Amino acid sequence: VFQFQTQGQLASYLVATDYYGFGPNYRQQFLASVRQVTREDVLRVARKHLNPAAMTEVVVGPAKSGAR
């Protein structure tokens, strides 16, 4: 996930982690943190923040012949 090809990229990463308060071990802890997220965690947050009644569905693709 984290690849640094230049010193500038590494410096930007270090500044961002400091700015957001992630701490010096963020890079090592990131994957472990993601792996700890459960299906139930995702469903709980989705139920709290997503409202299906307020959503709009958009479908993009080729139009069927005659349908315009």
Side-chain angles (χ1 to χ4, degrees), residues 57-64:
E57 183 176 350
V58 177
V59 179
V60 178
K64 293 181 181 179

Side-chain angles (χ1 to χ4, degrees), residues 2 8-23 26:
F2 303 101
Q9 290 172 330
L10 177 57
S12 293
Y13 165 79
L14 293 173
V15 168
T17 57
D18 183 62
Y19 178 81
Y20 291 109
F22 292 151
Y26 175 71

Side-chain angles (χ1 to χ4, degrees), residues 5 21 23 26-27 35 41 63 68:
Q5 296 180 3
Y26 175 71
R27 187 172 176 207
R35 287 184 174 150
D41 292 332
R68 290 203 169 180

